[in-house]
Amino acid sequence: MTGRRYTGSADGAAKGCRAGLKVLIDEIVSLSGNSLWNNGDFVVRNMRGKETLSVHATGRAVDLSYRFIRAGKGKKDGRAVALQWCRLLTEHADAIGLEMIIDYWPEPYGRAWRCDRDGWVKYERKMVSGAPHGDWLHVEVSPKMADDPAGMKAAFEKIAISLSGQISG
Ligand SMILES: [Zn+2]
């Protein structure tokens, strides 16, 4: 499916990390064996260097780092795991209400996936601070799925199945 509308920060500041997003974070951290870890979800602030409210303030965005710090946080092949999750999340985008992923690593300026174009675009100029070589993914979900923890959980049961298929296949 293509062309789901992108919300951005249009729904305004929330009171905290929303229940559906919490499920997504817990599931990704667990299914990735802590290769991806929560480096920040809810915070009320503007986008870095901009006047617009960050989507982190809506309680629908998380930064998932794949930085290897010490036992329990990250793995040495973190980038490969992050790429696997970029594929998994975009393949299941409609089920989890995925609206955006920013991948800060690729040169020269990173890349981003968005629901309204249903695909990745490589940034051709400086769009986000942290790119290139930022070792985390910024992930946003829709207001609907941010408030539907049961639906999110069900979607991740399917993701877990495709993940085990990828490992054994
Ligand atoms: Zn972020």
Side-chain angles (χ1 to χ4, degrees), residues 45 56 62-63 104 136 138:
R45 61 165 170 81
H56 282 281
V62 61
D63 293 328
Y104 296 80
W136 72 96
H138 167 97

Side-chain angles (χ1 to χ4, degrees), residues 19-166:
L21 182 70
K22 268 188 193 145
V23 170
L24 172 134
I25 296 168
D26 290 348
E27 290 286 334
I28 294 176
V29 170
S30 160
L31 288 170
S32 75
N34 296 305
S35 288
L36 290 171
W37 49 276
N38 182 355
N39 198 25
D41 45 66
F42 174 72
V43 61
V44 177
R45 61 165 170 81
N46 283 345
M47 291 170 76
R48 300 204 188 284
K50 295 181 187 170
E51 298 299 313
T52 325
L53 195 67
S54 163
V55 179
H56 282 281
T58 71
R60 296 185 289 101
V62 61
D63 293 328
L64 294 166
S65 178
Y66 49 94
R67 193 172 313 139
F68 176 64
I69 294 187
R70 57 184 176 274
K73 270 197 176 179
K75 300 248 170 70
K76 282 181 177 160
D77 65 344
R79 178 66 188 161
V81 177
L83 286 173
Q84 180 184 40
W85 277 94
C86 284
R87 280 195 302 275
L88 277 170
L89 295 177
T90 54
E91 279 167 17
H92 295 265
D94 290 341
I96 64 172
L98 183 68
E99 292 209 347
M100 187 171 201
I101 301 179
I102 302 172
D103 177 2
Y104 296 80
W105 187 265
E107 295 179 353
Y109 300 111
R111 63 174 185 149
W113 183 97
R114 255 174 68 157
C115 57
D116 48 359
R117 59 176 174 244
D118 194 24
W120 291 91
V121 164
K122 230 179 144 170
Y123 287 145
E124 300 293 332
R125 60 188 173 88
K126 185 166 175 60
M127 296 284 283
V128 288
S129 91
H133 303 157
D135 52 4
W136 72 96
L137 305 172
H138 167 97
V139 177
E140 296 172 15
V141 298
S142 67
K144 179 173 174 284
M145 289 309 292
D147 294 328
D148 184 1
M152 189 65 89
K153 183 86 190 158
F156 268 90
E157 280 164 20
K158 293 197 178 122
I159 291 177
I161 291 166
S162 18
L163 184 64
S164 63
Q166 282 180 17

